[in-house]
């Protein structure tokens, strides 16, 4: 149980920080073309580097504790949410944007009341991908340098040649992934219902 809780904590914290940072950066990049052109090549380059190769560096910088695993997980979760949010904001219906301008809505109100709500299906799709990748990030961190967590249990079971324990850990990771994925689906369904009601009004 302590190993399950450790992995879950790393996944949720990494998803929170990586997703939130990705969402905020995406809003800036979607709204300000200069920022998008300036930072997009660097962000793509940073994502092209395999996180497995960077994991030892993060462990050297942040230690063998939970911090390094959360950082790795956050970096993996960052890009899917950023990419989907930028795309959702950029491709908002132009006619609706024009209507908001005619009604005198500020840029902030247009973003808050039109672009983000209209782009939520794409944003949530990015969150679904990030949820699954968060588990990968946490386990990779535990593989490289961890004494706790399901990833560490898998490494230990490999050393002990304990195949049942290894399969049990893999099944638990699968269950956690499916549980979190379904949680995002529930959020999406509730939002879709609420948004549909608002449109009808």
């Amino acid at each position: 149980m302590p190993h399950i809780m450790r992995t879950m904590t790393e996944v949720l914290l990494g998803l929170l920080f990586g997703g939130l940072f990705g969402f905020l950066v995406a809003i800036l990049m979607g709204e300000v073309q200069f920022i998008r052109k300036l930072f997009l090549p660097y962000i793509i380059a940073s994502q092209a580097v395999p996180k497995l190769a960077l994991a030892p560096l993060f462990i050297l910088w942040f230690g063998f504790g939970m911090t390094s695993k959360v950082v790795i997980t956050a970096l993996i979760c960052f890009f899917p949410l950023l990419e989907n949010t930028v795309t959702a904001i950029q491709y908002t219906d132009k006619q609706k944007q024009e209507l908001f301008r005619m009604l005198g809505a500020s840029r902030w109100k247009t973003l808050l009341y039109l672009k983000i709500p209209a782009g939520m299906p794409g944003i949530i799709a990015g969150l679904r991908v990030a949820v699954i990748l968060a588990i990968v990030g946490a386990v990779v961190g535990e593989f490289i340098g961890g004494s706790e967590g399901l990833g560490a249990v898998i490494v230990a079971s490999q050393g002990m040649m304990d195949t049942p324990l290894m399969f049990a850990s893999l099944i638990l990771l699968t269950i956690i992934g499916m549980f979190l994925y379904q949680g995002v689906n529930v959020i999406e369904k509730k939002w879709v219902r609420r948004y549909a009601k608002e449109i009808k009004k």
Side-chain angles (χ1 to χ4, degrees):
M1 201 61 197
H3 295 289
I4 295 171
M5 295 305 298
R6 179 63 175 257
T7 299
M8 281 288 292
T9 304
E10 291 166 357
V11 167
L12 293 175
L13 286 175
L15 186 62
L16 174 65
F17 292 125
L20 184 61
F21 187 59
F23 180 72
L24 295 175
V25 172
I27 288 174
L28 287 174
M29 291 176 63
E31 287 293 292
V32 184
Q33 189 175 11
F34 171 76
I35 294 177
R36 183 168 66 252
K37 288 183 177 179
L38 181 64
F39 288 107
L40 188 59
Y42 297 104
I43 291 171
I44 293 171
S46 70
Q47 294 302 310
V49 179
K51 299 301 176 291
L52 186 60
L54 291 175
L57 282 175
F58 291 127
I59 289 168
L60 283 174
W61 292 338
F62 300 106
F64 287 91
M66 188 184 292
T67 305
S68 57
K69 283 75 172 180
V70 171
V71 170
I72 294 167
T73 306
L75 282 175
I76 290 177
C77 295
F78 167 77
F79 190 70
L81 209 53
L82 179 138
E83 183 66 25
N84 280 46
T85 304
V86 169
T87 303
I89 289 173
Q90 283 184 311
Y91 289 97
T92 307
D93 192 319
K94 300 299 180 184
Q95 291 182 340
K96 290 180 180 178
Q97 291 186 53
E98 186 62 32
L99 177 61
F100 268 65
R101 277 194 291 269
M102 289 173 62
L103 293 172
S106 65
R107 192 169 183 173
W108 168 251
K109 286 186 176 180
T110 303
L111 173 68
L112 195 60
Y113 295 107
L114 174 62
K115 292 183 179 181
I116 292 177
M120 280 302 288
I123 295 169
I124 291 176
L127 182 60
R128 276 201 297 266
V129 176
V131 160
I132 300 302
L133 292 179
I135 296 172
V136 176
V139 172
V140 164
E142 292 167 355
F143 277 170
I144 301 299
S147 57
E148 288 185 82
L150 293 173
V153 172
I154 291 172
V155 173
S157 63
Q158 183 182 13
M160 295 184 295
M161 304 294 288
D162 191 343
T163 306
L165 180 59
M166 189 182 297
F167 272 106
S169 301
L170 291 171
I171 290 168
L172 284 170
L173 287 169
T174 304
I175 291 169
I176 291 169
M178 292 176 67
F179 176 76
L180 292 173
Y181 188 88
Q182 288 303 319
V184 175
N185 281 339
V186 169
I187 293 170
E188 182 181 23
K189 286 177 182 177
K190 286 186 177 180
W191 177 86
V192 167
R193 287 197 207 103
R194 188 181 70 180
Y195 189 61
K197 287 178 182 177
E198 288 177 357
I199 290 174
K200 286 178 182 178
K201 289 177 182 178

